[in-house]
Amino acid sequence: MADEEVVVLTQEGFDKLQAELDDLKYVKRKELAARIKLAISYGDLKENSEYHSAKDDQAFMETRIIILEKMLIKARIAEASSGSSGIIGVGSNVVLKDIEFGDTLEYQVVGPAEADVVDGKISYESPLGKALMGKKVGEKINVDAPMGTIHYELLEVKGS
């Protein structure tokens, strides 16, 4: 992560990362310290798999804490469009129609740090996200994909 890199988040994404950080720092750290203390009580640390497992978990957790702290420091909360403008921006919820298959899809456009396609959140940096930015209801969107170009119609834009 470059020092000057801004992390674009929705308010929901910021709050979720802050909650994860707080949980790691104030709950999980204590739980892990207790696990390490218990493992130490088993003796001989060279052969103690519980101790080594807990120390590995601690290293992973501390790394995640550092990453989250850096992300939150560099975070910029995206102002979602109200939906009344009908123009897609970060934080907008969109309803698309796949023109070829007739499927209706709904996504929220978010920053890369909170993208999760399974949860219906796509990054504005993804091919679909890039194609959507700045579009209005009724416009056609074409997205180049490995299997060919996918054609969508923008049915609705809602604020977050």
Side-chain angles (χ1 to χ4, degrees):
M1 198 179 292
D3 286 334
E4 59 280 337
E5 185 178 327
V6 172
V7 178
V8 178
L9 297 168
T10 60
Q11 185 63 54
E12 177 188 357
F14 181 88
D15 293 344
K16 188 175 178 181
L17 291 178
Q18 185 64 57
E20 180 185 353
L21 178 62
D22 290 345
D23 183 54
L24 289 173
K25 288 173 76 173
Y26 305 115
V27 177
K28 301 291 188 214
R29 261 187 183 159
K30 289 178 184 176
E31 291 173 358
L32 203 46
R35 246 181 82 200
I36 291 170
K37 185 176 180 181
L38 179 62
I40 288 172
S41 73
Y42 297 151
D44 190 12
L45 298 183
K46 279 184 167 179
E47 303 288 328
N48 189 329
S49 63
E50 289 87 1
Y51 174 77
H52 293 289
S53 174
K55 291 301 281 182
D56 288 345
D57 291 348
Q58 182 183 42
F60 176 80
M61 182 185 67
E62 293 300 328
T63 300
R64 181 68 180 156
I65 288 171
I66 290 167
I67 290 168
L68 288 171
E69 287 175 337
K70 286 181 180 179
M71 286 174 67
L72 292 170
I73 286 169
K74 296 175 183 181
R76 180 179 63 80
I77 307 299
E79 296 295 325
S81 64
S82 65
S84 61
S85 68
I87 298 173
I88 298 175
V90 176
S92 295
N93 291 292
V94 299
V95 179
L96 302 170
K97 179 180 180 183
D98 183 317
I99 294 172
E100 182 179 355
F101 297 105
D103 297 334
T104 301
L105 309 164
E106 189 165 343
Y107 295 109
Q108 181 181 26
V109 180
V110 297
E114 60 185 305
D116 181 358
V117 176
V118 174
D119 195 27
K121 297 179 180 201
I122 59 168
S123 168
Y124 67 87
E125 292 182 346
S126 69
L128 178 56
K130 284 179 185 177
L132 288 170
M133 294 300 288
K135 296 291 194 275
K136 295 180 183 178
V137 172
E139 288 191 54
K140 305 286 190 237
I141 291 107
N142 301 312
V143 180
D144 291 325
M147 62 185 184
T149 302
I150 303 171
H151 305 282
Y152 297 102
E153 179 181 355
L154 181 57
L155 300 178
E156 188 178 354
V157 178
K158 307 178 234 176
S160 60

